Amino acid sequence: MTVLLLVTAVFFTAQTGDVPAQELDLAGWVALAYHNSPAVSSADASLFSSQASFTSSRSFLWPSLTMSAGITKNWSGVSLPGGETMNTESNFYSTGLSLSQELLQSGGQNWLNMQASELTLQAAESDYKGDILAVAMDVISSYYGVLEALELKKAAEAAHERSESQLLRTEALYRIGGVTTLELLQVQVQESSDNLAVSRKDQSVFAAYSNLYNASGVDRSDDLSHTFIKLDAVLEPLPMESVQSISLDYSENPGLVAASLRAQAAELQATAAGRGYWPSLRASAGWSWSDNTLDDIDRMFDNDGYNVGLNLSWNIFDGLLRESRINSARASDLASHAALETMQNSVRTSVESLSNSLKIDIQYYSDSELMLEQAREQYRLSVMSYEMGALSLMDLLDAQSDLAQSEANLVSAKVTALKTEASLMVQLGRMPRVGE
């Protein structure tokens, strides 16, 4: 409900003209994608088509009622003795109602096909769930891409500030002969390199936001392009204990569930095709009326009739069409079971790989935090040593670069862990974390 209200507020504000900058957390961006993404509309259309096919497969449960009516006008001429011709004309009116009900098609073929269609609809519903998870995963990946770009830009700006500060000190020392020209050039190159890195990070942020807008179905020309991520609502990676307790039961994977249902449906369709050798039974009833006048209402329906009947039909030979359908259904059955086995192997391998990767990513994230603390302390000591003359300028610049690299590594480690966690949840058929 909170997400819905948030997205509604965004759309309402977008229609009022001047749109201030909006900030959405991950849940808000996912909700935005569910509302705007063309992939969701495509998934809705596919599910609607499957529902229509299932309704069609159930049509035999209901009788078929047909009404017909017609009028015929006849002209005739009869030659009389004397060479005269007598011309006559007459009208003929008719109408009728016909009711028919299929009781058994080829030994129950229609019932088996209906069951197969129901399984196919369930598979389509599972596919729909998979499509929705894929949209969410696309948004999550793009969202964390923006987060990484912003944090790397922040780290680059911090590195540039240190370089600028060092350049100012070095230029002051150079003017009094405290450093050599080579040392000044080294600091100038470092500052220029860090400044260029900030510009590149700006471009990366723009590209990352473009990917997020595309994943969320937002046009950059729309007012919603003023929407940004909410940095104070970013999730933290799970602790190792929570990662180890994640159940790796992948039986709810949408693709795997859909493949299993389609394999069952194909098996039923193959069985139904084999029933093609059996006869069909249909019941029918009808009423009909015909007369050559509409003038006398009282006797109009004296010439009507009723009929009921049962019709048994048996296809003895149809030019091997039946055998062709049976072989085709059997081939589809074999192919669907092979696809199911392939899907099972793929999902199992993917889940195991993502689980191991997530544990490694969480450990690397913890190590990166320690390495950043170490780099900060090393830089602090290097500055003190340099100011006391116990450390060369090159070593100080190395410590500065190590600090910038450690800051960037922590950002990348965090984003990688969050992305891997989301990918694992999607493979398990579960919605990833989008908010606490």
Side-chain angles (χ1 to χ4, degrees):
M1 180 60 72
T2 302
V3 172
L4 179 60
L5 292 176
L6 183 58
V7 175
T8 302
V10 172
F11 281 111
F12 178 77
T13 308
Q15 296 175 353
T16 61
D18 296 333
V19 182
Q22 303 285 336
E23 288 187 349
L24 291 177
D25 59 7
L26 181 53
W29 280 103
V30 171
L32 196 64
Y34 287 166
H35 190 280
N36 288 329
S37 176
V40 175
S41 299
S42 178
D44 288 336
S46 298
L47 181 58
F48 184 76
S49 177
S50 298
Q51 291 170 341
S53 297
F54 176 61
T55 302
S56 176
S57 71
R58 290 171 52 89
S59 61
F60 75 92
L61 296 174
W62 301 91
S64 175
L65 180 63
T66 305
M67 178 182 178
S68 62
I71 177 173
T72 303
K73 192 173 187 67
N74 297 318
W75 290 270
S76 63
V78 179
S79 298
L80 299 176
E84 295 182 0
T85 302
M86 181 178 67
N87 295 319
T88 61
E89 62 179 56
S90 61
N91 296 326
F92 184 79
Y93 305 92
S94 65
T95 187
L97 287 173
S98 176
L99 184 70
S100 63
Q101 173 67 57
E102 188 175 57
L103 301 179
L104 198 63
Q105 180 190 38
S106 298
Q109 191 178 71
N110 46 0
W111 291 93
L112 291 174
N113 284 330
M114 183 184 69
Q115 295 175 28
S117 181
E118 183 176 7
L119 291 172
T120 302
L121 174 58
Q122 294 174 7
E125 291 172 345
S126 185
D127 284 336
Y128 179 80
K129 178 184 176 182
D131 292 337
I132 295 301
L133 286 176
V135 170
M137 186 63 221
D138 195 14
V139 173
I140 290 170
S141 179
S142 300
Y143 177 91
Y144 287 135
V146 171
L147 173 64
E148 183 176 20
L150 289 173
E151 293 295 336
L152 288 178
K153 177 187 174 183
K154 182 179 178 181
E157 288 173 340
H160 183 234
E161 289 177 2
R162 290 191 291 268
S163 296
E164 280 186 318
S165 178
Q166 183 61 47
L167 179 59
L168 291 175
R169 289 196 297 269
T170 304
E171 287 175 340
L173 290 172
Y174 181 75
R175 285 192 291 270
I176 62 175
V179 296
T180 65
T181 302
L182 178 59
E183 289 175 324
L184 175 62
L185 289 174
Q186 288 173 337
V187 176
Q188 288 175 335
V189 169
Q190 183 68 43
E191 188 277 334
S192 177
S193 176
D194 289 341
N195 186 37
L196 180 60
V198 172
S199 299
R200 288 176 175 173
K201 298 308 178 185
D202 275 329
Q203 188 65 27
S204 298
V205 170
F206 178 83
Y209 264 116
S210 296
N211 292 334
L212 180 58
Y213 292 149
N214 291 336
S216 303
V218 175
D219 193 331
R220 288 205 70 105
S221 61
D222 292 344
D223 291 330
L224 285 173
S225 63
H226 295 280
T227 307
F228 304 99
I229 72 170
K230 195 173 183 180
L231 290 176
D232 58 356
V234 176
L235 298 173
E236 287 294 323
L238 291 172
M240 183 62 74
E241 296 77 12
S242 299
V243 171
Q244 292 174 342
S245 64
I246 294 176
S247 172
L248 300 184
D249 179 15
Y250 54 83
S251 60
E252 295 182 4
N253 178 277
L256 183 59
V257 172
S260 177
L261 290 169
R262 288 195 171 93
Q264 297 175 47
E267 188 173 348
L268 283 173
Q269 288 170 341
T271 303
R275 297 285 182 90
Y277 291 105
W278 294 29
S280 299
L281 182 64
R282 175 179 289 272
S284 62
W287 168 83
S288 62
W289 167 85
S290 62
D291 204 343
N292 58 4
T293 181
L294 295 176
D295 296 335
D296 192 350
I297 300 297
D298 293 336
R299 60 173 293 276
M300 179 177 294
F301 295 101
D302 290 346
N303 298 327
D304 61 350
Y306 303 86
N307 66 84
V308 294
L310 287 174
N311 179 40
L312 181 70
S313 62
W314 201 339
N315 187 0
I316 304 299
F317 181 72
D318 57 3
L320 300 180
L321 176 61
R322 174 174 48 201
E323 285 72 16
S324 175
R325 289 174 176 171
I326 292 174
N327 291 333
S328 177
R330 288 174 178 171
S332 297
D333 184 22
L334 292 174
S336 63
H337 279 84
L340 173 59
E341 185 176 354
T342 301
M343 178 66 72
Q344 287 175 330
N345 295 334
S346 175
V347 172
R348 181 176 61 252
T349 302
S350 178
V351 166
E352 292 174 354
S353 175
L354 287 171
S355 177
N356 293 331
S357 296
L358 180 56
K359 293 174 183 177
I360 294 173
D361 292 340
I362 295 297
Q363 184 61 51
Y364 182 66
Y365 175 66
S366 299
D367 294 342
S368 296
E369 289 180 316
L370 296 176
M371 287 188 290
L372 178 57
E373 292 181 10
Q374 178 188 3
R376 285 172 176 167
E377 183 64 17
Q378 183 65 43
Y379 177 69
R380 186 183 70 84
L381 294 176
S382 297
V383 171
M384 293 175 58
S385 299
Y386 175 74
E387 291 175 349
M388 292 185 297
L391 191 71
S392 68
L393 178 60
M394 195 64 187
D395 290 334
L396 176 62
L397 294 179
D398 288 341
Q400 182 175 313
S401 297
D402 290 341
L403 176 57
Q405 185 63 46
S406 296
E407 291 173 336
N409 286 343
L410 179 62
V411 172
S412 298
K414 177 178 180 179
V415 169
T416 300
L418 290 170
K419 284 184 177 180
T420 304
E421 178 196 335
S423 297
L424 176 60
M425 292 298 104
V426 169
Q427 279 296 315
L428 294 173
R430 308 169 198 168
M431 185 66 186
R433 287 191 304 150
V434 294
E436 297 294 352

